[in-house]
Amino acid sequence: MAVYIFAAFFVVILCSFYLYARKKYSYWSDKGVKGPTPFPIVGNFGSVILVKDSVQQYIKTVHLKYAGEKLVGVYRGFQPMLLVRDPDLIKQVMVKDFHKFQDRGISSSGSRLSQNLFSADGEMWRILRQKLTPVFTSRKLKEMVPLMQQCVDKFVKYVDYLVENNIDHEMRSLASKYTLDVIGSCAFGLDLDACSDEENQFSIMAKKIFKPTVYVRFLTILDMLIPGVRKLFTTSTEILDFFLGLVRNVIKEREGTPPVRKDFMDLMIELREQGKVSRRKEDGISEIEMDDYLIAAQALVFYSAGFETSAATMSFLFYELALNPDIQDRIYQEVCKVYEKYNGQLTYESLKEMPYLDMVLDETLRKHSVAGILFRKALEDYTIPGTNVTIPKGTLIMVSANGLHADPEYFPNPEKFNPDRFLPENIKTLKQCTYLPFGEGPRNCIGMRFAKVQSLMGIAAFLKNFKIERSPKTDTHLEYDPKGIVLLTKGGIWVKISKR
Ligand code: HEM
């Protein structure tokens, strides 16, 4: 008898769960929005949970599969999320109605570390963005070029040593030595020399941030099933402690002296001395205390957003040049002319005289968009213009930058590496909001110009001195690694480097 009662109970639970899941998963179809069929509990992100796909690669596939649709509905666990495909609607969400979609709405650990410009929402984000924007003005960037030049010199010297000694080096980690030096110098005033000193604390921290532990991966997966749950768990404070220590040391060294380097840390010290940072709102005044923790959190995000993205982009560019020697030759001619004109020294102005290299960088960012997915959260109920679809407050919106970049409707023959797409006359005809390597609207990448300047300087110096060719280890069909936070390839990028 007990067995029958248990079986009946089990069937009732199963049926209730089935009905619950059916109702939850009819959310988008009830609104007339198409999308891939979800799987109970995991929703549409099963392949991500099984580490067969990264989120950005999966969403790219969905973007491409639903050609012709303006919107696509997906589920993260049971939570509905909306993929916006149509460029006009993307513009609406990211630019015109930005005030209704200001938050990124990504789950974070809930630690003080997550109070950084990238993860912060609401008023906190607005204050931080306003305060941090002056770090990235053209004047500031120009002042940083001599610091970057020192890193370029070390980079060239190191590659020279590798070539002389016939040492093979994977290109992504090679480029990250350079970008790590740059961010260390321009943001923190540190002379790292990541090229010769692999065991410096900065490099070690980089590995910890971008190679998450099993526990952190587990939390990420759990958060895919139950959005927001990761806030309830504590994670190691090692990374925050490191940055906190670093920030406190720099503050101690510089306190009481006038700002000399005018770098990121100088600005942060200025904000700290101002104490509370206020901003008037219609409904009162909101304040944040720019304490050491908050400064460390910003330092960390500039560091992590700053070097790995640029290093990945540089390595993809080198890869494409190994496969396209004619493009490499053209850049070489251009770079040599500029070096000659500027007496062998790159300046901020000289970078503007390398339009072809700039086009090659833009095409690299199109074909291998390292941060390929953009997130926004609806801050109020919102009817998507031109449709009957109303999404409630709190709905997460996604835009697939690498889906748009691989869409033949906007970029014909998208697999072909073709820098001419970015000739001025072709840019004019490019549909707005189809090329988004640095995002769009007021919440776009704050470090975009910094990234371009540091990449162009490193690439120009590299190509002036070295030639890149295919080697037997070069993989002509790159496969992306599903574990990568920033776009990563399985097995790395290998090419042959020789001296010019
Ligand atoms: C090739 C290099 C880079 C790429 C492709 C890249 C890409 C992006 C993208 C796609 C976003 C999201 C934008 C959006 O949601 O609309 C972003 C945000 C951000 N990036 Fe970058 N980035 C790069 C380099 C940098 C550098 C060098 C820094 C700092 C030194 C930086 C700091 C940030 C920060 C702080 C945010 C958050 C901005 C906010 O929410 O207000 N990035 N980046």
Side-chain angles (χ1 to χ4, degrees):
M1 187 65 180
V3 174
Y4 289 119
I5 292 172
F6 181 75
F9 182 69
F10 185 68
V11 169
V12 168
I13 295 276
L14 216 62
C15 289
S16 310
F17 177 72
Y18 171 76
L19 290 174
Y20 173 80
R22 219 172 77 151
K23 176 146 179 39
K24 282 279 177 191
Y25 290 143
S26 65
Y27 181 87
W28 288 122
S29 55
D30 289 350
K31 289 181 184 291
V33 177
K34 290 186 185 163
T37 310
F39 196 78
I41 302 176
V42 293
N44 293 111
F45 289 90
S47 62
V48 177
I49 290 167
L50 294 173
V51 205
K52 286 186 183 158
D53 256 333
S54 64
V55 180
Q56 46 174 312
Q57 285 310 108
Y58 173 68
I59 291 299
K60 174 184 173 183
T61 316
V62 174
H63 175 103
L64 293 174
K65 188 173 166 199
Y66 286 85
E69 296 299 322
K70 291 185 172 184
L71 305 169
V72 181
V74 292
Y75 300 89
R76 172 185 173 198
F78 286 115
Q79 184 193 36
M81 291 169 85
L82 189 64
L83 172 66
V84 181
R85 288 189 77 260
D86 177 65
D88 293 329
L89 291 180
I90 293 173
K91 188 172 173 191
Q92 197 76 36
V93 167
M94 316 256 304
V95 185
K96 292 185 182 162
D97 287 332
F98 174 73
H99 57 290
K100 298 176 186 170
F101 294 95
Q102 180 206 277
D103 292 358
R104 192 163 274 127
I106 49 169
S107 302
S108 47
S109 63
S111 75
R112 296 208 63 191
L113 201 64
S114 61
Q115 291 184 334
N116 61 65
L117 186 63
F118 192 87
S119 311
D121 282 337
E123 193 65 3
M124 172 70 111
W125 170 76
R126 256 197 301 221
I127 296 170
L128 286 174
R129 179 87 188 200
Q130 188 203 22
K131 293 290 160 194
L132 297 175
T133 297
V135 182
F136 296 98
T137 58
S138 309
R139 194 172 59 85
K140 277 264 155 21
L141 273 175
K142 215 171 153 176
E143 282 170 6
M144 287 176 189
V145 165
L147 298 176
M148 289 185 190
Q149 185 60 52
Q150 288 169 7
C151 304
V152 164
D153 293 343
K154 278 189 262 175
F155 181 50
V156 170
K157 204 168 141 203
Y158 181 63
V159 181
D160 209 52
Y161 162 80
L162 294 177
V163 175
E164 286 273 314
N165 292 284
N166 262 322
I167 303 171
D168 264 1
H169 205 306
E170 196 276 317
M171 293 308 279
R172 168 74 164 260
S173 62
L174 181 62
S176 73
K177 288 186 190 326
Y178 163 67
T179 55
L180 201 61
D181 268 356
V182 175
I183 202 79
S185 172
C186 295
F188 305 100
L190 297 174
D191 185 12
L192 291 177
D193 203 357
C195 289
S196 354
D197 175 15
E198 296 209 11
E199 289 313 306
N200 74 67
Q201 280 299 310
F202 250 62
S203 309
I204 294 170
M205 280 302 138
K207 282 182 196 138
K208 294 205 166 146
I209 294 170
F210 288 98
K211 291 213 173 85
T213 57
V214 175
Y215 175 61
V216 171
R217 283 202 64 79
F218 165 74
L219 286 186
T220 310
I221 289 173
L222 198 65
D223 202 71
M224 301 225 64
L225 300 174
I226 314 166
V229 75
R230 95 186 268 167
K231 279 203 176 82
L232 306 175
F233 292 80
T234 50
T235 44
S236 158
T237 58
E238 189 189 357
I239 294 169
L240 178 62
D241 291 345
F242 171 77
F243 277 90
L244 200 58
L246 185 72
V247 161
R248 283 181 172 157
N249 273 345
V250 179
I251 291 173
K252 211 166 129 195
E253 271 170 26
R254 297 190 190 181
E255 227 162 19
T257 56
V260 180
R261 286 181 75 96
K262 302 226 163 45
D263 58 11
F264 171 73
M265 280 310 297
D266 272 350
L267 193 99
M268 289 283 115
I269 292 169
E270 236 174 88
L271 290 178
R272 184 173 170 272
E273 277 160 11
Q274 284 167 16
K276 286 185 176 153
V277 184
S278 314
R279 185 186 167 88
R280 191 169 287 281
K281 280 203 307 184
E282 281 119 52
D283 53 346
I285 302 244
S286 68
E287 289 179 331
I288 56 168
E289 180 89 42
M290 214 56 190
D291 61 9
D292 295 353
Y293 276 94
L294 208 54
I295 296 177
Q298 311 320 311
L300 170 61
V301 84
F302 277 26
Y303 163 74
S304 47
F307 90 92
E308 191 65 19
T309 44
S310 301
T313 304
M314 284 174 71
S315 64
F316 284 122
L317 185 143
F318 291 140
Y319 169 77
E320 291 293 348
L321 295 190
L323 301 189
N324 296 280
D326 47 332
I327 296 179
Q328 188 177 172
D329 286 346
R330 221 176 126 181
I331 300 178
Y332 180 64
Q333 305 300 334
E334 187 178 76
V335 167
C336 286
K337 257 196 218 156
V338 170
Y339 264 95
E340 207 180 298
K341 182 171 168 191
Y342 287 86
N343 300 323
Q345 198 72 19
L346 288 178
T347 62
Y348 187 68
E349 286 72 28
S350 71
L351 298 177
K352 293 189 192 121
E353 293 182 35
M354 296 188 270
Y356 190 64
L357 177 57
D358 205 32
M359 283 160 57
V360 172
L361 183 59
D362 287 344
E363 174 66 345
T364 306
L365 285 159
R366 178 198 69 82
K367 198 173 166 201
H368 308 279
S369 217
V370 294
I373 187 161
L374 313 171
F375 292 95
R376 295 290 184 274
K377 184 167 127 185
L379 297 179
E380 54 186 73
D381 294 357
Y382 184 80
T383 302
I384 309 276
T387 73
N388 295 325
V389 180
T390 299
I391 49 168
K393 179 178 171 179
T395 305
L396 278 186
I397 307 278
M398 290 179 293
V399 171
S400 174
N402 46 22
L404 288 158
H405 297 175
D407 195 331
E409 197 181 334
Y410 313 119
F411 298 97
N413 200 0
E415 282 312 305
K416 186 173 162 54
F417 187 80
N418 177 13
D420 286 354
R421 296 180 205 273
F422 292 93
L423 278 168
E425 60 268 33
N426 293 338
I427 291 180
K428 269 191 225 148
T429 62
L430 195 67
K431 189 159 174 55
Q432 245 193 316
C433 287
T434 54
Y435 180 62
L436 305 171
F438 293 101
E440 183 58 273
R443 199 144 191 189
N444 70 349
C445 175
I446 198 171
M448 175 173 77
R449 286 190 303 163
F450 181 95
K452 284 197 109 177
V453 170
Q454 77 163 346
S455 304
L456 289 173
M457 289 202 47
I459 297 162
F462 186 98
L463 295 175
K464 165 81 173 55
N465 291 283
F466 307 102
K467 188 172 178 172
I468 300 169
E469 287 161 290
R470 274 185 210 205
S471 83
K473 279 166 91 175
T474 308
D475 189 346
T476 49
H477 296 282
L478 284 186
E479 247 191 281
Y480 296 124
D481 188 338
K483 293 199 277 302
I485 295 176
V486 166
L487 196 64
L488 185 74
T489 53
K490 282 185 182 167
I493 293 178
W494 297 90
V495 296
K496 181 179 165 223
I497 307 173
S498 52
K499 271 193 189 181
R500 284 279 182 188

